[in-house]
Amino acid sequence: MLEVKNLCKHYGGIRAVDGASFKVEKGSITALIGPNGAGKTTAFNCISRTVVPTSGEVWLDGERIDNLRPHKITAKGLSRTFQISRNLADMTVLENVIVQARCRGFADLFRPAVSAEERDKAMSILDFLGITRIAYEDGHNLSYGQKKLMDLAALLMADPKIILLDEPAGGVNPTLLEEIVGHIRALNAKGLTVLIVEHNMDLIMRLSHRVVVMAHGRVICDGTPDVVRRDPHVLEAYLGGVLEEEAA
């Protein structure tokens, strides 16, 4: 469904992403992992074009999208979250979910503030995520975990084919983490393709069908969780310390 070809993003002499190539198969949960500074989030930004890549190509369902504006990419079926929630603090959760999902550009300025259809759809998604109780809470009243769930709800409003989740478990307590894992699995079971950046290796290894490992802006390994766990380049670049801690 998603193919990244020789993607590069340079900031002067710094090569944040340096010729990265990988694929995300339709219907899969694929993880993008690596140490801090590996280029994972920058790759996400280039795929969604919140950052313009220096070079390379991004293809979605056989169509090149790296030359499109972000709202056009969303309209094509690719939506993403960010590490830090971008909620509008003075709006309710319901309003945040609706307004963040609009992706028709200036045309949205001439639509009603909140239509009955949008309200019903948003409430249905909040119900699926188990957070209808906070639908009318202002964004600034939410806990960190609730903001993560709100961001996920906003993603689903756009009816995406593939979602990119940037550290959905970051800063979340263990109970809510299991809820988020359950939601991701349920969405994937319904046919939604998932690409996820995450540092929680336990989550990645039990959730993902495939794992892509980046280091220094490049892809150094691409395979099943079991293959990645045993790859010597991965152990050297990233997982070694994590696995030693687990063993201890």
Side-chain angles (χ1 to χ4, degrees):
M1 174 168 285
L2 180 70
E3 184 173 7
V4 176
K5 298 181 180 181
N6 199 31
L7 188 66
C8 296
K9 179 59 184 178
H10 302 164
Y11 295 96
I14 299 173
R15 299 190 174 193
V17 180
D18 189 17
S21 298
F22 60 88
K23 296 180 181 180
V24 178
E25 297 297 332
K26 184 177 181 179
S28 71
I29 300 176
T30 301
L32 184 61
I33 69 170
N36 289 329
K40 309 179 297 297
T41 293
T42 304
F44 257 37
N45 292 341
C46 290
I47 292 169
S48 61
R49 213 171 180 272
T50 51
V51 165
V52 179
T54 302
S55 61
E57 301 176 3
V58 180
W59 293 75
L60 178 65
D61 264 350
E63 180 179 358
R64 188 170 176 181
I65 63 170
D66 54 272
N67 57 347
L68 300 178
R69 293 183 178 181
H71 72 280
K72 293 289 187 182
I73 292 174
T74 300
K76 294 290 184 183
L78 185 150
S79 296
R80 65 160 298 178
T81 63
F82 294 84
Q83 288 182 20
I84 299 174
S85 178
R86 296 190 171 190
N87 68 299
L88 302 168
D90 293 329
M91 285 187 172
T92 66
V93 170
L94 184 65
E95 290 167 338
N96 266 284
V97 168
I98 292 170
V99 73
Q100 292 187 57
R102 293 187 168 180
C103 55
R104 297 192 302 175
F106 285 111
D108 284 322
L109 295 176
F110 301 98
R111 298 173 64 189
V114 177
S115 70
E117 181 181 357
E118 287 175 323
R119 184 185 301 275
D120 290 345
K121 183 177 180 180
M123 288 300 292
S124 177
I125 292 171
L126 294 177
D127 182 57
F128 166 74
L129 296 175
I131 54 173
T132 52
R133 66 189 182 280
I134 63 169
Y136 297 100
E137 284 284 345
D138 288 342
H140 59 75
N141 292 333
L142 303 182
S143 69
Y144 192 76
Q146 288 172 332
K147 289 179 181 178
K148 292 276 189 179
L149 289 172
M150 183 184 68
D151 290 344
L152 181 56
L155 231 65
L156 300 178
M157 276 292 290
D159 294 322
K161 297 183 288 188
I162 178 171
I163 58 174
L164 280 57
L165 305 177
D166 197 351
E167 296 194 24
V172 173
N173 68 63
T175 300
L176 185 55
L177 172 59
E178 290 307 312
E179 286 186 28
I180 291 173
V181 169
H183 295 321
I184 294 172
R185 283 181 171 148
L187 291 168
N188 180 246
K190 293 180 178 181
L192 189 62
T193 303
V194 181
L195 176 61
I196 180 172
V197 164
E198 183 53 63
H199 285 292
N200 185 322
M201 288 299 103
D202 174 66
L203 182 153
I204 288 302
M205 294 303 172
R206 62 191 172 95
L207 182 63
S208 305
H209 303 123
R210 195 165 194 87
V211 180
V212 177
V213 187
M214 290 185 67
H216 307 294
R218 300 179 180 180
V219 173
I220 62 170
C221 185
D222 184 346
T224 65
D226 285 341
V227 168
V228 168
R229 272 185 177 274
R230 292 166 175 77
D231 188 278
H233 297 99
V234 177
L235 294 173
E236 179 182 354
Y238 183 42
L239 286 180
V242 176
L243 295 179
E244 287 172 8
E245 289 177 8
E246 290 179 352

